[in-house]
Amino acid sequence: LGKNWANHIIIYETHAFVTKGLYSIVRHPLYSSIMLMFYGASLAFSNYMVIVLTSIIFIPFMNYRAKQEEEELLKIFPEYKEYKKRVWRFFPKIIRRNK
């Protein structure tokens, strides 16, 4: 994310639309990794309540925030609409449709 990182949703004047690297397979790799860390830690410590809480609180919050970010990105980068069709939000697209 580099200079594009912020604690709150903001589009910087120098914001770049990146579709290479991890962004070529998932739109929000940071959120994906945090989700996997929460699930992994809960399994490692056999804390099944954290799995439940992550599923009903944290994941919906991440989805809500990602949708808000995407709405802002669509205002600045019209090509983001096509990108959303090609690349899934949190996890790599496994099933490919033939055109």
Side-chain angles (χ1 to χ4, degrees), residues 3-80:
K3 295 177 183 178
N4 293 333
W5 169 253
N7 287 334
H8 52 283
I9 298 170
I10 185 170
I11 305 295
Y12 295 105
E13 191 173 302
T14 58
H15 212 96
F17 178 45
V18 179
T19 60
K20 294 179 182 177
L22 285 176
Y23 294 97
S24 67
I25 57 172
V26 290
R27 296 194 312 258
H28 298 277
L30 177 64
Y31 295 164
S32 301
S33 65
I34 293 171
M35 288 181 221
L36 291 173
M37 286 188 328
F38 272 50
Y39 282 126
S42 63
L43 291 173
F45 293 106
S46 299
N47 190 334
Y48 302 107
M49 182 54 76
V50 173
I51 291 174
V52 171
L53 292 174
T54 297
S55 298
I56 64 173
I57 296 171
F58 187 72
I59 301 296
F61 174 76
M62 288 286 95
N63 195 47
Y64 175 74
R65 182 175 168 102
K67 285 181 179 182
Q68 286 182 317
E69 288 180 10
E70 291 178 348
E71 287 175 14
E72 294 302 313
L73 289 168
L74 279 166
K75 292 176 187 175
I76 307 300
F77 304 108
E79 62 271 28
Y80 197 85

